[in-house]
Amino acid sequence: MSNLKCPLQSLQQGTWFKLICGASFQHLPAVRNLTLAYTLAGADCIDVAADPAVVEAAREGIDAACGLAETASPLLMVSVNDAEDPHFRKAEFDPNRCPPDCSRPCEGVCPADAIDANGVIDRRCYGCGRCIPICPYGFIETRSYVATPASVAPLVLSMGVDALEIHTQPGQFEDFRRLWGSVRPWVDRLKAVAVSCPHRVDTLDYLRSLHDLMSPLPYPVIWQTDGRPMSGDIGKGTTKAAIEFGQKVLESDLPGYVQLAGGTNHHTVSKLKSLNLFNNSLNFVRSEEKQFPKSPSAAKYIAGVAYGSYARSLLSPILERLEHQNGESTMYLENHPDLLWSAVELARSLVSQHKLPS
């Protein structure tokens, strides 16, 4: 497949598309099938939990896609955190405390179908927190965790992980330094490193301090501007925070690529285009009939977009139908061609917004 475009070229072109399966999402059949469909649709990167079983499920999805069609293999990325972070938590409650007449609004609001009569289905929960404020009795709490740095090396060395994303936020520099000290020996074995951070007053200064700490790197950092975490499936307006934050990082001339996340959905690209932040012919110079930007720092456009809750919700009706028909243990999407290609077309409707005409 040497004639197929390398996913990293998409970063250079400003056409990068990343699927976020969820840093805490461990529903293996769903991870496998989402990865399969979005790989066939042309995704450049698949971001999953730093869990060996989840990584293996995603790898199986990529391999299945490459066996079905001539398609480029996306980068397989794992997410870790340096301290407490909303992406690394699970909801929990004791269902025995719930009154029999409770209308159970938590079930209706959960986008992952992770709540039933027995409580929270742990492997499905990805920590969005929407169930917490809606519980009329305040019974729902969260269980947070911090990634173990020692777990990174086996994922890179034995499981073929291509990229790493570190979730952090201003005020956690020493936590980041501790984690980076454990990660640094494996950086040369990776193809990309991303830093995901929310918007605060001092975020730009914090990101500069992280860049200084991580330098030198064999590749530019991907700065993931996490505007409104895990909200892309709520409505059109959620993409606004991600774009505004991304624009600020872009204008700061921080070395590296700027990639949006947090609230991204089907409206994100059209909004980027209206603000002249999406790639266009003026940003490129031709070389042997291929298009490349002059340099990451010279390119004043967003390099890419990551989609999490919206990308998953887009395919959820098909995956739910598959699960109800076959059960979790046998729900391989490629065994059901009608559902597979319906899922791929839905995924492609999102991915294709980022791709340049052939």
Side-chain angles (χ1 to χ4, degrees):
M1 295 193 295
S2 59
N3 62 319
L4 297 177
K5 184 185 68 176
C6 169
L8 290 173
Q9 187 179 332
S10 295
L11 273 175
Q12 298 171 336
Q13 291 183 330
T15 61
W16 170 265
F17 179 102
K18 184 173 84 169
L19 168 69
I20 302 174
C21 287
S24 297
F25 191 53
Q26 296 163 305
H27 185 26
L28 302 184
V31 169
R32 187 186 189 281
N33 289 329
L34 285 165
T35 299
L36 168 61
Y38 276 96
T39 297
L40 288 171
D44 299 294
C45 182
I46 309 292
D47 184 2
V48 300
D51 176 324
V54 175
V55 172
E56 180 62 25
R59 177 60 66 193
E60 287 181 5
I62 292 173
D63 290 344
C66 293
L68 287 169
E70 187 180 19
T71 184
S73 179
L75 298 188
L76 183 54
M77 174 182 284
V78 295
S79 283
V80 297
N81 56 330
D82 60 7
E84 189 167 324
D85 184 281
H87 297 87
F88 297 80
R89 65 181 183 179
K90 300 279 190 179
E92 60 183 13
F93 68 93
D94 181 359
N96 295 318
R97 298 177 63 194
C98 300
D101 60 347
C102 180
S103 62
R104 304 184 65 81
C106 56
E107 288 190 33
V109 78
C110 179
D113 292 326
I115 300 177
D116 62 16
N118 298 312
V120 177
I121 305 171
D122 199 68
R123 66 188 181 282
R124 288 178 176 267
C125 177
Y126 60 84
C128 71
R130 298 179 203 176
C131 58
I132 298 172
I134 207 169
C135 176
Y137 305 99
F139 289 163
I140 304 177
E141 300 177 339
T142 58
R143 181 183 77 256
S144 300
Y145 61 95
V146 178
T148 304
S151 67
V152 175
L155 294 175
V156 174
L157 295 175
S158 63
M159 302 201 71
V161 166
D162 304 301
L164 179 71
E165 180 167 280
I166 302 175
H167 288 251
T168 188
Q169 54 188 303
Q172 294 177 185
F173 182 81
E174 291 305 320
D175 295 306
F176 189 96
R177 185 201 296 273
R178 170 194 55 81
L179 178 58
W180 185 249
S182 300
V183 168
R184 188 67 182 89
W186 314 110
V187 166
D188 289 343
R189 293 176 178 263
L190 298 171
K191 297 177 182 177
V193 168
V195 174
S196 181
C197 190
H199 188 206
R200 303 284 187 271
V201 173
D202 54 348
T203 292
L204 292 179
D205 289 337
Y206 182 62
L207 295 183
R208 289 190 186 95
S209 70
L210 298 186
H211 181 267
D212 292 343
L213 173 65
M214 292 188 290
S215 297
L217 281 173
Y219 32 71
V221 179
I222 301 171
W223 303 108
Q224 178 165 289
T225 56
D226 198 3
R228 187 174 169 185
M230 297 175 283
S231 66
D233 56 337
I234 293 177
K236 179 178 180 179
T238 61
T239 198
K240 180 179 178 182
I243 292 176
E244 289 180 347
F245 182 19
Q247 189 170 16
K248 289 180 180 179
V249 177
L250 197 63
E251 292 172 351
S252 74
D253 289 326
L254 187 67
Y257 298 106
V258 179
Q259 175 229 277
L260 307 184
T264 52
N265 52 37
H266 215 84
H267 305 282
T268 301
V269 168
S270 60
K271 185 64 175 177
L272 286 173
K273 288 180 177 179
S274 72
L275 296 171
N276 293 319
L277 294 174
F278 196 69
N279 65 311
N280 58 68
S281 59
L282 296 178
N283 295 120
F284 294 86
V285 291
R286 287 197 175 275
S287 174
E288 297 178 354
E289 297 187 353
K290 292 184 179 180
Q291 294 181 319
F292 299 91
K294 296 176 183 179
S295 70
S297 60
K300 291 301 181 182
Y301 52 82
I302 298 298
V305 181
Y307 297 85
S309 53
Y310 181 79
R312 297 191 299 268
S313 68
L314 195 62
L315 269 59
S316 62
I318 291 176
L319 299 189
E320 288 171 8
R321 179 180 168 191
L322 179 64
E323 185 173 333
H324 292 155
Q325 286 180 353
N326 302 279
E328 290 187 10
S329 61
T330 57
M331 53 179 289
Y332 285 1
L333 190 54
E334 67 268 30
N335 293 337
H336 305 270
D338 55 332
L339 296 180
L340 168 64
W341 296 111
S342 294
V344 172
E345 284 305 307
L346 284 172
R348 190 172 288 141
S349 72
L350 188 59
V351 177
S352 63
Q353 295 183 37
H354 293 265
K355 301 307 175 183
L356 297 172
S358 301

